[in-house]
Amino acid sequence: MTATPAADSTDPHANDANPYGGGDPYADYRGGDFPFTSLVDLADRRFGAGVIAANDEFFAERENLLKPGPAVFDPEHFGHKGKIMDGWETRRRRGADGDHPFPTDDEHDWALIRLAAPGVIRGVIVDTAHFRGNYPQQITLEATALPGSPSPEDLLADDVKWEELVPRTPVRGHAANGFEVTVERRFTHLRLKQHPDGGIARLRVYGEVVPDPEWLDVLGTLDLASVMHGGTVEDASDRFYSSPTQIIQPDLSRKMDDGWENRRRRVRGTNDWVRFRLAAQGEIRAVEIDTAYLKGNSAGWAALHGCDGTPDDEASWFEILPRTKLQPDTPHRFALPRRVTATHVRLDVFPDGGLARLRLHGDLTEAGRAGLVSRFDELSG
């Protein structure tokens, strides 16, 4: 686990941000460049994640933690409980009496988060945007894995084992606090603690989905490329405007930047591309390529190639879909003349341009399912 540098653990006020001075509230925001943000956000509310309980949310609701987009700040927005913040904020903790006004060292506030899909967590961002002097002094993040749809009472039971992903660590105010996670296990729920109290604007949890093979069996036909089934982006020619991971998200695109868009390509004879690793070896029967909301900047043509197990060997790639003309702001559906067995797929666009979504409909092979079962068992132990 690697924490963002510059969080000071010696001076309780060293991590404060300056009071808001007017103008752009993000002008002095302390961001960061974290390599794990290219992965899917396992706590994305749009895919089914939720904050299912918190011990306190006096000033601001727990649900704000998982809202998409950056936190919004309105300096004039007050309610009957005080300043209204776009995040999760608890009341100030107090000690036992006037001689002991501060809370004890072990007192803290907590929130329980259900991930949108179980998976291995590679990194998290605890974002304290706009919480300048009212952010928590330290945070802890723990994780567990329970089957089904457990209630808050189930998760808080004495026999539930929680594993520490981020130990008690100082965070900075009005900043993106990033933490790399190296625990190789499949998790379904998180417990975020703030010591002793305060406010957190957003929580992002980046990782790789590890689906339950029995659930995929029930589904039968599935999108083999979807991040919710374990598909991932391995590489891409360009990530200038947005991440290519967005084109294998399970929902529909809502606006132009909710897909993959590259910069304008100026070198003739070249093109942009994305390489995907499928959930497991599968047989592809149909392809969907959607250019929703991309009108003057959609890809002009697209082609699809696959390989079965050897992506680094260029000779092993074969054609799935020939170079095909695309229309702007349009879903395109292609029924393949025969099933295609693959573990990886490369999407080429010519010469450049954006795509909203890619779907690869099919089912797992016996070898693909066996590989998923093995990984599931290994990460669930």
Side-chain angles (χ1 to χ4, degrees), residues 270-306:
T270 64
N271 67 280
D272 284 308
W273 52 269
V274 186
R275 190 178 79 195
F276 305 93
R277 185 183 74 238
L278 304 184
Q281 185 191 62
E283 293 186 337
I284 305 169
R285 299 203 300 260
V287 175
E288 288 186 68
I289 299 175
D290 190 359
T291 57
Y293 297 101
L294 295 151
K295 298 181 178 180
N297 54 348
S298 65
W301 294 263
L304 206 62
H305 290 78

PDB file of all heavy atoms in Angstrom, residues 270-306:
ATOM      1  N   THR A 270      -1.712   5.396 -40.230  1.00  0.00           N
ATOM      2  CA  THR A 270      -1.849   4.885 -38.864  1.00  0.00           C
ATOM      3  C   THR A 270      -3.312   4.988 -38.431  1.00  0.00           C
ATOM      4  O   THR A 270      -4.124   5.638 -39.082  1.00  0.00           O
ATOM      5  CB  THR A 270      -0.966   5.664 -37.878  1.00  0.00           C
ATOM      6  OG1 THR A 270      -1.411   7.029 -37.807  1.00  0.00           O
ATOM      7  CG2 THR A 270       0.490   5.638 -38.319  1.00  0.00           C
ATOM      8  N   ASN A 271      -3.631   4.348 -37.313  1.00  0.00           N
ATOM      9  CA  ASN A 271      -4.996   4.403 -36.777  1.00  0.00           C
ATOM     10  C   ASN A 271      -4.972   4.193 -35.274  1.00  0.00           C
ATOM     11  O   ASN A 271      -3.968   3.754 -34.703  1.00  0.00           O
ATOM     12  CB  ASN A 271      -5.889   3.350 -37.444  1.00  0.00           C
ATOM     13  CG  ASN A 271      -5.483   1.938 -37.085  1.00  0.00           C
ATOM     14  OD1 ASN A 271      -4.542   1.375 -37.647  1.00  0.00           O
ATOM     15  ND2 ASN A 271      -6.194   1.349 -36.125  1.00  0.00           N
ATOM     16  N   ASP A 272      -6.084   4.475 -34.628  1.00  0.00           N
ATOM     17  CA  ASP A 272      -6.207   4.250 -33.189  1.00  0.00           C
ATOM     18  C   ASP A 272      -6.819   2.892 -32.910  1.00  0.00           C
ATOM     19  O   ASP A 272      -7.551   2.338 -33.754  1.00  0.00           O
ATOM     20  CB  ASP A 272      -7.042   5.359 -32.550  1.00  0.00           C
ATOM     21  CG  ASP A 272      -6.250   6.643 -32.401  1.00  0.00           C
ATOM     22  OD1 ASP A 272      -5.146   6.586 -31.844  1.00  0.00           O
ATOM     23  OD2 ASP A 272      -6.724   7.698 -32.873  1.00  0.00           O
ATOM     24  N   TRP A 273      -6.544   2.354 -31.713  1.00  0.00           N
ATOM     25  CA  TRP A 273      -6.976   0.998 -31.381  1.00  0.00           C
ATOM     26  C   TRP A 273      -7.041   0.812 -29.869  1.00  0.00           C
ATOM     27  O   TRP A 273      -6.415   1.543 -29.108  1.00  0.00           O
ATOM     28  CB  TRP A 273      -6.015  -0.042 -31.982  1.00  0.00           C
ATOM     29  CG  TRP A 273      -4.572   0.217 -31.636  1.00  0.00           C
ATOM     30  CD1 TRP A 273      -3.664   0.946 -32.343  1.00  0.00           C
ATOM     31  CD2 TRP A 273      -3.888  -0.225 -30.452  1.00  0.00           C
ATOM     32  NE1 TRP A 273      -2.454   0.994 -31.692  1.00  0.00           N
ATOM     33  CE2 TRP A 273      -2.560   0.281 -30.525  1.00  0.00           C
ATOM     34  CE3 TRP A 273      -4.247  -0.986 -29.348  1.00  0.00           C
ATOM     35  CZ2 TRP A 273      -1.613   0.025 -29.545  1.00  0.00           C
ATOM     36  CZ3 TRP A 273      -3.310  -1.228 -28.354  1.00  0.00           C
ATOM     37  CH2 TRP A 273      -2.010  -0.725 -28.461  1.00  0.00           C
ATOM     38  N   VAL A 274      -7.803  -0.194 -29.457  1.00  0.00           N
ATOM     39  CA  VAL A 274      -7.876  -0.628 -28.069  1.00  0.00           C
ATOM     40  C   VAL A 274      -7.809  -2.148 -28.043  1.00  0.00           C
ATOM     41  O   VAL A 274      -8.460  -2.812 -28.863  1.00  0.00           O
ATOM     42  CB  VAL A 274      -9.192  -0.188 -27.383  1.00  0.00           C
ATOM     43  CG1 VAL A 274      -9.147  -0.544 -25.893  1.00  0.00           C
ATOM     44  CG2 VAL A 274      -9.441   1.294 -27.554  1.00  0.00           C
ATOM     45  N   ARG A 275      -7.030  -2.697 -27.107  1.00  0.00           N
ATOM     46  CA  ARG A 275      -6.947  -4.155 -26.953  1.00  0.00           C
ATOM     47  C   ARG A 275      -7.595  -4.557 -25.635  1.00  0.00           C
ATOM     48  O   ARG A 275      -7.299  -3.997 -24.584  1.00  0.00           O
ATOM     49  CB  ARG A 275      -5.491  -4.626 -26.971  1.00  0.00           C
ATOM     50  CG  ARG A 275      -5.367  -6.155 -27.066  1.00  0.00           C
ATOM     51  CD  ARG A 275      -3.929  -6.572 -27.139  1.00  0.00           C
ATOM     52  NE  ARG A 275      -3.299  -6.554 -25.818  1.00  0.00           N
ATOM     53  CZ  ARG A 275      -1.972  -6.593 -25.630  1.00  0.00           C
ATOM     54  NH1 ARG A 275      -1.165  -6.600 -26.667  1.00  0.00           N
ATOM     55  NH2 ARG A 275      -1.481  -6.596 -24.405  1.00  0.00           N
ATOM     56  N   PHE A 276      -8.484  -5.534 -25.711  1.00  0.00           N
ATOM     57  CA  PHE A 276      -9.236  -6.001 -24.549  1.00  0.00           C
ATOM     58  C   PHE A 276      -8.886  -7.441 -24.213  1.00  0.00           C
ATOM     59  O   PHE A 276      -8.645  -8.263 -25.117  1.00  0.00           O
ATOM     60  CB  PHE A 276     -10.748  -5.957 -24.817  1.00  0.00           C
ATOM     61  CG  PHE A 276     -11.256  -4.612 -25.248  1.00  0.00           C
ATOM     62  CD1 PHE A 276     -11.369  -4.296 -26.593  1.00  0.00           C
ATOM     63  CD2 PHE A 276     -11.634  -3.664 -24.309  1.00  0.00           C
ATOM     64  CE1 PHE A 276     -11.845  -3.062 -26.993  1.00  0.00           C
ATOM     65  CE2 PHE A 276     -12.110  -2.429 -24.700  1.00  0.00           C
ATOM     66  CZ  PHE A 276     -12.216  -2.121 -26.055  1.00  0.00           C
ATOM     67  N   ARG A 277      -8.880  -7.745 -22.912  1.00  0.00           N
ATOM     68  CA  ARG A 277      -8.885  -9.135 -22.468  1.00  0.00           C
ATOM     69  C   ARG A 277     -10.304  -9.465 -22.044  1.00  0.00           C
ATOM     70  O   ARG A 277     -10.899  -8.759 -21.234  1.00  0.00           O
ATOM     71  CB  ARG A 277      -7.932  -9.341 -21.283  1.00  0.00           C
ATOM     72  CG  ARG A 277      -7.815 -10.822 -20.873  1.00  0.00           C
ATOM     73  CD  ARG A 277      -6.926 -11.022 -19.660  1.00  0.00           C
ATOM     74  NE  ARG A 277      -7.588 -10.594 -18.436  1.00  0.00           N
ATOM     75  CZ  ARG A 277      -7.116  -9.671 -17.608  1.00  0.00           C
ATOM     76  NH1 ARG A 277      -5.990  -9.042 -17.896  1.00  0.00           N
ATOM     77  NH2 ARG A 277      -7.765  -9.342 -16.514  1.00  0.00           N
ATOM     78  N   LEU A 278     -10.871 -10.520 -22.614  1.00  0.00           N
ATOM     79  CA  LEU A 278     -12.245 -10.882 -22.313  1.00  0.00           C
ATOM     80  C   LEU A 278     -12.350 -11.482 -20.907  1.00  0.00           C
ATOM     81  O   LEU A 278     -11.342 -11.817 -20.273  1.00  0.00           O
ATOM     82  CB  LEU A 278     -12.763 -11.876 -23.350  1.00  0.00           C
ATOM     83  CG  LEU A 278     -12.683 -11.422 -24.812  1.00  0.00           C
ATOM     84  CD1 LEU A 278     -13.322 -12.468 -25.723  1.00  0.00           C
ATOM     85  CD2 LEU A 278     -13.328 -10.061 -25.009  1.00  0.00           C
ATOM     86  N   ALA A 279     -13.564 -11.630 -20.428  1.00  0.00           N
ATOM     87  CA  ALA A 279     -13.791 -12.208 -19.097  1.00  0.00           C
ATOM     88  C   ALA A 279     -13.091 -13.556 -18.975  1.00  0.00           C
ATOM     89  O   ALA A 279     -12.540 -13.892 -17.916  1.00  0.00           O
ATOM     90  CB  ALA A 279     -15.283 -12.360 -18.852  1.00  0.00           C
ATOM     91  N   ALA A 280     -13.103 -14.325 -20.034  1.00  0.00           N
ATOM     92  CA  ALA A 280     -12.421 -15.618 -20.140  1.00  0.00           C
ATOM     93  C   ALA A 280     -12.571 -16.056 -21.594  1.00  0.00           C
ATOM     94  O   ALA A 280     -13.216 -15.382 -22.397  1.00  0.00           O
ATOM     95  CB  ALA A 280     -13.026 -16.648 -19.187  1.00  0.00           C
ATOM     96  N   GLN A 281     -11.964 -17.182 -21.934  1.00  0.00           N
ATOM     97  CA  GLN A 281     -12.143 -17.680 -23.298  1.00  0.00           C
ATOM     98  C   GLN A 281     -13.627 -17.903 -23.564  1.00  0.00           C
ATOM     99  O   GLN A 281     -14.337 -18.514 -22.763  1.00  0.00           O
ATOM    100  CB  GLN A 281     -11.393 -18.992 -23.491  1.00  0.00           C
ATOM    101  CG  GLN A 281     -11.436 -19.501 -24.930  1.00  0.00           C
ATOM    102  CD  GLN A 281     -10.927 -20.920 -25.053  1.00  0.00           C
ATOM    103  OE1 GLN A 281     -11.498 -21.840 -24.475  1.00  0.00           O
ATOM    104  NE2 GLN A 281      -9.831 -21.103 -25.774  1.00  0.00           N
ATOM    105  N   GLY A 282     -14.091 -17.373 -24.673  1.00  0.00           N
ATOM    106  CA  GLY A 282     -15.503 -17.490 -24.992  1.00  0.00           C
ATOM    107  C   GLY A 282     -15.736 -17.581 -26.482  1.00  0.00           C
ATOM    108  O   GLY A 282     -14.820 -17.397 -27.298  1.00  0.00           O
ATOM    109  N   GLU A 283     -16.976 -17.875 -26.845  1.00  0.00           N
ATOM    110  CA  GLU A 283     -17.388 -17.923 -28.248  1.00  0.00           C
ATOM    111  C   GLU A 283     -18.271 -16.712 -28.541  1.00  0.00           C
ATOM    112  O   GLU A 283     -19.370 -16.583 -27.993  1.00  0.00           O
ATOM    113  CB  GLU A 283     -18.147 -19.222 -28.540  1.00  0.00           C
ATOM    114  CG  GLU A 283     -17.266 -20.465 -28.437  1.00  0.00           C
ATOM    115  CD  GLU A 283     -18.007 -21.724 -28.863  1.00  0.00           C
ATOM    116  OE1 GLU A 283     -19.258 -21.716 -28.820  1.00  0.00           O
ATOM    117  OE2 GLU A 283     -17.338 -22.686 -29.242  1.00  0.00           O
ATOM    118  N   ILE A 284     -17.789 -15.821 -29.388  1.00  0.00           N
ATOM    119  CA  ILE A 284     -18.507 -14.590 -29.725  1.00  0.00           C
ATOM    120  C   ILE A 284     -19.478 -14.876 -30.860  1.00  0.00           C
ATOM    121  O   ILE A 284     -19.106 -15.467 -31.881  1.00  0.00           O
ATOM    122  CB  ILE A 284     -17.516 -13.485 -30.135  1.00  0.00           C
ATOM    123  CG1 ILE A 284     -16.473 -13.272 -29.033  1.00  0.00           C
ATOM    124  CG2 ILE A 284     -18.254 -12.185 -30.438  1.00  0.00           C
ATOM    125  CD1 ILE A 284     -15.307 -12.398 -29.467  1.00  0.00           C
ATOM    126  N   ARG A 285     -20.737 -14.441 -30.690  1.00  0.00           N
ATOM    127  CA  ARG A 285     -21.767 -14.667 -31.705  1.00  0.00           C
ATOM    128  C   ARG A 285     -22.257 -13.385 -32.359  1.00  0.00           C
ATOM    129  O   ARG A 285     -22.751 -13.418 -33.472  1.00  0.00           O
ATOM    130  CB  ARG A 285     -22.956 -15.386 -31.070  1.00  0.00           C
ATOM    131  CG  ARG A 285     -22.636 -16.739 -30.479  1.00  0.00           C
ATOM    132  CD  ARG A 285     -23.869 -17.613 -30.384  1.00  0.00           C
ATOM    133  NE  ARG A 285     -24.905 -17.021 -29.559  1.00  0.00           N
ATOM    134  CZ  ARG A 285     -25.141 -17.361 -28.295  1.00  0.00           C
ATOM    135  NH1 ARG A 285     -24.374 -18.263 -27.703  1.00  0.00           N
ATOM    136  NH2 ARG A 285     -26.111 -16.806 -27.599  1.00  0.00           N
ATOM    137  N   ALA A 286     -22.149 -12.259 -31.642  1.00  0.00           N
ATOM    138  CA  ALA A 286     -22.653 -10.998 -32.171  1.00  0.00           C
ATOM    139  C   ALA A 286     -21.859  -9.845 -31.567  1.00  0.00           C
ATOM    140  O   ALA A 286     -21.307  -9.954 -30.466  1.00  0.00           O
ATOM    141  CB  ALA A 286     -24.132 -10.838 -31.862  1.00  0.00           C
ATOM    142  N   VAL A 287     -21.817  -8.730 -32.301  1.00  0.00           N
ATOM    143  CA  VAL A 287     -21.041  -7.558 -31.915  1.00  0.00           C
ATOM    144  C   VAL A 287     -21.934  -6.325 -31.992  1.00  0.00           C
ATOM    145  O   VAL A 287     -22.719  -6.174 -32.940  1.00  0.00           O
ATOM    146  CB  VAL A 287     -19.820  -7.374 -32.849  1.00  0.00           C
ATOM    147  CG1 VAL A 287     -19.081  -6.087 -32.522  1.00  0.00           C
ATOM    148  CG2 VAL A 287     -18.893  -8.578 -32.773  1.00  0.00           C
ATOM    149  N   GLU A 288     -21.810  -5.447 -30.988  1.00  0.00           N
ATOM    150  CA  GLU A 288     -22.454  -4.142 -31.022  1.00  0.00           C
ATOM    151  C   GLU A 288     -21.393  -3.056 -30.884  1.00  0.00           C
ATOM    152  O   GLU A 288     -20.539  -3.129 -30.006  1.00  0.00           O
ATOM    153  CB  GLU A 288     -23.464  -3.978 -29.879  1.00  0.00           C
ATOM    154  CG  GLU A 288     -24.728  -4.782 -30.024  1.00  0.00           C
ATOM    155  CD  GLU A 288     -25.729  -4.434 -28.928  1.00  0.00           C
ATOM    156  OE1 GLU A 288     -26.245  -3.293 -28.960  1.00  0.00           O
ATOM    157  OE2 GLU A 288     -25.950  -5.277 -28.050  1.00  0.00           O
ATOM    158  N   ILE A 289     -21.462  -2.073 -31.757  1.00  0.00           N
ATOM    159  CA  ILE A 289     -20.596  -0.897 -31.685  1.00  0.00           C
ATOM    160  C   ILE A 289     -21.505   0.322 -31.703  1.00  0.00           C
ATOM    161  O   ILE A 289     -22.241   0.540 -32.659  1.00  0.00           O
ATOM    162  CB  ILE A 289     -19.599  -0.849 -32.855  1.00  0.00           C
ATOM    163  CG1 ILE A 289     -18.675  -2.074 -32.833  1.00  0.00           C
ATOM    164  CG2 ILE A 289     -18.786   0.440 -32.810  1.00  0.00           C
ATOM    165  CD1 ILE A 289     -17.736  -2.157 -34.016  1.00  0.00           C
ATOM    166  N   ASP A 290     -21.445   1.116 -30.639  1.00  0.00           N
ATOM    167  CA  ASP A 290     -22.347   2.247 -30.465  1.00  0.00           C
ATOM    168  C   ASP A 290     -21.548   3.545 -30.503  1.00  0.00           C
ATOM    169  O   ASP A 290     -20.542   3.684 -29.797  1.00  0.00           O
ATOM    170  CB  ASP A 290     -23.079   2.105 -29.127  1.00  0.00           C
ATOM    171  CG  ASP A 290     -24.209   3.104 -28.967  1.00  0.00           C
ATOM    172  OD1 ASP A 290     -24.426   3.922 -29.889  1.00  0.00           O
ATOM    173  OD2 ASP A 290     -24.879   3.077 -27.921  1.00  0.00           O
ATOM    174  N   THR A 291     -22.005   4.507 -31.306  1.00  0.00           N
ATOM    175  CA  THR A 291     -21.355   5.815 -31.393  1.00  0.00           C
ATOM    176  C   THR A 291     -22.241   6.911 -30.781  1.00  0.00           C
ATOM    177  O   THR A 291     -22.175   8.073 -31.177  1.00  0.00           O
ATOM    178  CB  THR A 291     -21.026   6.173 -32.852  1.00  0.00           C
ATOM    179  OG1 THR A 291     -22.238   6.148 -33.628  1.00  0.00           O
ATOM    180  CG2 THR A 291     -20.018   5.217 -33.446  1.00  0.00           C
ATOM    181  N   ALA A 292     -23.079   6.553 -29.810  1.00  0.00           N
ATOM    182  CA  ALA A 292     -24.028   7.497 -29.219  1.00  0.00           C
ATOM    183  C   ALA A 292     -23.355   8.794 -28.763  1.00  0.00           C
ATOM    184  O   ALA A 292     -22.289   8.762 -28.147  1.00  0.00           O
ATOM    185  CB  ALA A 292     -24.742   6.846 -28.025  1.00  0.00           C
ATOM    186  N   TYR A 293     -23.988   9.921 -29.095  1.00  0.00           N
ATOM    187  CA  TYR A 293     -23.580  11.280 -28.727  1.00  0.00           C
ATOM    188  C   TYR A 293     -22.308  11.751 -29.425  1.00  0.00           C
ATOM    189  O   TYR A 293     -21.880  12.886 -29.227  1.00  0.00           O
ATOM    190  CB  TYR A 293     -23.418  11.422 -27.208  1.00  0.00           C
ATOM    191  CG  TYR A 293     -24.705  11.203 -26.460  1.00  0.00           C
ATOM    192  CD1 TYR A 293     -24.966   9.990 -25.819  1.00  0.00           C
ATOM    193  CD2 TYR A 293     -25.689  12.186 -26.409  1.00  0.00           C
ATOM    194  CE1 TYR A 293     -26.161   9.772 -25.145  1.00  0.00           C
ATOM    195  CE2 TYR A 293     -26.883  11.978 -25.746  1.00  0.00           C
ATOM    196  CZ  TYR A 293     -27.112  10.776 -25.115  1.00  0.00           C
ATOM    197  OH  TYR A 293     -28.294  10.565 -24.465  1.00  0.00           O
ATOM    198  N   LEU A 294     -21.703  10.913 -30.227  1.00  0.00           N
ATOM    199  CA  LEU A 294     -20.516  11.300 -30.983  1.00  0.00           C
ATOM    200  C   LEU A 294     -20.971  11.591 -32.416  1.00  0.00           C
ATOM    201  O   LEU A 294     -21.355  10.666 -33.142  1.00  0.00           O
ATOM    202  CB  LEU A 294     -19.471  10.192 -30.939  1.00  0.00           C
ATOM    203  CG  LEU A 294     -18.923   9.935 -29.525  1.00  0.00           C
ATOM    204  CD1 LEU A 294     -18.478   8.494 -29.358  1.00  0.00           C
ATOM    205  CD2 LEU A 294     -17.772  10.883 -29.234  1.00  0.00           C
ATOM    206  N   LYS A 295     -20.961  12.843 -32.788  1.00  0.00           N
ATOM    207  CA  LYS A 295     -21.549  13.247 -34.064  1.00  0.00           C
ATOM    208  C   LYS A 295     -20.503  13.728 -35.063  1.00  0.00           C
ATOM    209  O   LYS A 295     -20.320  13.124 -36.113  1.00  0.00           O
ATOM    210  CB  LYS A 295     -22.618  14.319 -33.809  1.00  0.00           C
ATOM    211  CG  LYS A 295     -23.765  13.794 -32.941  1.00  0.00           C
ATOM    212  CD  LYS A 295     -24.834  14.830 -32.701  1.00  0.00           C
ATOM    213  CE  LYS A 295     -25.976  14.247 -31.863  1.00  0.00           C
ATOM    214  NZ  LYS A 295     -27.045  15.244 -31.605  1.00  0.00           N
ATOM    215  N   GLY A 296     -19.795  14.791 -34.746  1.00  0.00           N
ATOM    216  CA  GLY A 296     -18.751  15.264 -35.643  1.00  0.00           C
ATOM    217  C   GLY A 296     -17.395  14.681 -35.311  1.00  0.00           C
ATOM    218  O   GLY A 296     -16.404  15.022 -35.963  1.00  0.00           O
ATOM    219  N   ASN A 297     -17.359  13.805 -34.313  1.00  0.00           N
ATOM    220  CA  ASN A 297     -16.077  13.260 -33.864  1.00  0.00           C
ATOM    221  C   ASN A 297     -16.128  11.745 -33.690  1.00  0.00           C
ATOM    222  O   ASN A 297     -15.286  11.174 -33.002  1.00  0.00           O
ATOM    223  CB  ASN A 297     -15.656  13.917 -32.549  1.00  0.00           C
ATOM    224  CG  ASN A 297     -16.737  13.824 -31.480  1.00  0.00           C
ATOM    225  OD1 ASN A 297     -17.875  13.471 -31.763  1.00  0.00           O
ATOM    226  ND2 ASN A 297     -16.382  14.156 -30.248  1.00  0.00           N
ATOM    227  N   SER A 298     -17.119  11.077 -34.276  1.00  0.00           N
ATOM    228  CA  SER A 298     -17.176   9.616 -34.161  1.00  0.00           C
ATOM    229  C   SER A 298     -16.148   8.976 -35.079  1.00  0.00           C
ATOM    230  O   SER A 298     -15.677   9.592 -36.045  1.00  0.00           O
ATOM    231  CB  SER A 298     -18.574   9.107 -34.516  1.00  0.00           C
ATOM    232  OG  SER A 298     -18.864   9.368 -35.870  1.00  0.00           O
ATOM    233  N   ALA A 299     -15.792   7.730 -34.789  1.00  0.00           N
ATOM    234  CA  ALA A 299     -14.880   6.986 -35.661  1.00  0.00           C
ATOM    235  C   ALA A 299     -15.515   6.817 -37.043  1.00  0.00           C
ATOM    236  O   ALA A 299     -16.726   6.600 -37.162  1.00  0.00           O
ATOM    237  CB  ALA A 299     -14.574   5.630 -35.053  1.00  0.00           C
ATOM    238  N   GLY A 300     -14.705   6.918 -38.085  1.00  0.00           N
ATOM    239  CA  GLY A 300     -15.240   6.775 -39.442  1.00  0.00           C
ATOM    240  C   GLY A 300     -15.494   5.330 -39.828  1.00  0.00           C
ATOM    241  O   GLY A 300     -16.518   5.001 -40.437  1.00  0.00           O
ATOM    242  N   TRP A 301     -14.561   4.453 -39.480  1.00  0.00           N
ATOM    243  CA  TRP A 301     -14.675   3.022 -39.757  1.00  0.00           C
ATOM    244  C   TRP A 301     -14.139   2.259 -38.545  1.00  0.00           C
ATOM    245  O   TRP A 301     -13.365   2.795 -37.751  1.00  0.00           O
ATOM    246  CB  TRP A 301     -13.842   2.630 -40.991  1.00  0.00           C
ATOM    247  CG  TRP A 301     -14.336   3.214 -42.282  1.00  0.00           C
ATOM    248  CD1 TRP A 301     -15.131   2.610 -43.212  1.00  0.00           C
ATOM    249  CD2 TRP A 301     -14.032   4.511 -42.796  1.00  0.00           C
ATOM    250  NE1 TRP A 301     -15.363   3.453 -44.261  1.00  0.00           N
ATOM    251  CE2 TRP A 301     -14.701   4.641 -44.041  1.00  0.00           C
ATOM    252  CE3 TRP A 301     -13.287   5.597 -42.337  1.00  0.00           C
ATOM    253  CZ2 TRP A 301     -14.625   5.790 -44.820  1.00  0.00           C
ATOM    254  CZ3 TRP A 301     -13.211   6.745 -43.111  1.00  0.00           C
ATOM    255  CH2 TRP A 301     -13.881   6.827 -44.331  1.00  0.00           C
ATOM    256  N   ALA A 302     -14.536   1.016 -38.424  1.00  0.00           N
ATOM    257  CA  ALA A 302     -14.035   0.167 -37.345  1.00  0.00           C
ATOM    258  C   ALA A 302     -13.817  -1.237 -37.865  1.00  0.00           C
ATOM    259  O   ALA A 302     -14.504  -1.691 -38.794  1.00  0.00           O
ATOM    260  CB  ALA A 302     -15.001   0.143 -36.171  1.00  0.00           C
ATOM    261  N   ALA A 303     -12.861  -1.936 -37.263  1.00  0.00           N
ATOM    262  CA  ALA A 303     -12.605  -3.343 -37.550  1.00  0.00           C
ATOM    263  C   ALA A 303     -12.329  -4.043 -36.229  1.00  0.00           C
ATOM    264  O   ALA A 303     -11.888  -3.419 -35.256  1.00  0.00           O
ATOM    265  CB  ALA A 303     -11.431  -3.507 -38.503  1.00  0.00           C
ATOM    266  N   LEU A 304     -12.575  -5.347 -36.198  1.00  0.00           N
ATOM    267  CA  LEU A 304     -12.401  -6.122 -34.974  1.00  0.00           C
ATOM    268  C   LEU A 304     -11.578  -7.360 -35.291  1.00  0.00           C
ATOM    269  O   LEU A 304     -11.881  -8.094 -36.247  1.00  0.00           O
ATOM    270  CB  LEU A 304     -13.774  -6.517 -34.425  1.00  0.00           C
ATOM    271  CG  LEU A 304     -13.907  -6.777 -32.925  1.00  0.00           C
ATOM    272  CD1 LEU A 304     -13.582  -5.516 -32.136  1.00  0.00           C
ATOM    273  CD2 LEU A 304     -15.323  -7.245 -32.607  1.00  0.00           C
ATOM    274  N   HIS A 305     -10.533  -7.585 -34.495  1.00  0.00           N
ATOM    275  CA  HIS A 305      -9.707  -8.777 -34.616  1.00  0.00           C
ATOM    276  C   HIS A 305      -9.656  -9.483 -33.262  1.00  0.00           C
ATOM    277  O   HIS A 305      -9.832  -8.857 -32.219  1.00  0.00           O
ATOM    278  CB  HIS A 305      -8.296  -8.425 -35.076  1.00  0.00           C
ATOM    279  CG  HIS A 305      -8.217  -7.960 -36.487  1.00  0.00           C
ATOM    280  ND1 HIS A 305      -8.564  -6.677 -36.870  1.00  0.00           N
ATOM    281  CD2 HIS A 305      -7.857  -8.609 -37.629  1.00  0.00           C
ATOM    282  CE1 HIS A 305      -8.418  -6.549 -38.174  1.00  0.00           C
ATOM    283  NE2 HIS A 305      -7.979  -7.701 -38.663  1.00  0.00           N
ATOM    284  N   GLY A 306      -9.417 -10.788 -33.297  1.00  0.00           N
ATOM    285  CA  GLY A 306      -9.340 -11.571 -32.075  1.00  0.00           C
ATOM    286  C   GLY A 306      -8.143 -12.487 -32.072  1.00  0.00           C
ATOM    287  O   GLY A 306      -7.510 -12.728 -33.105  1.00  0.00           O
TER     288      GLY A 306
END
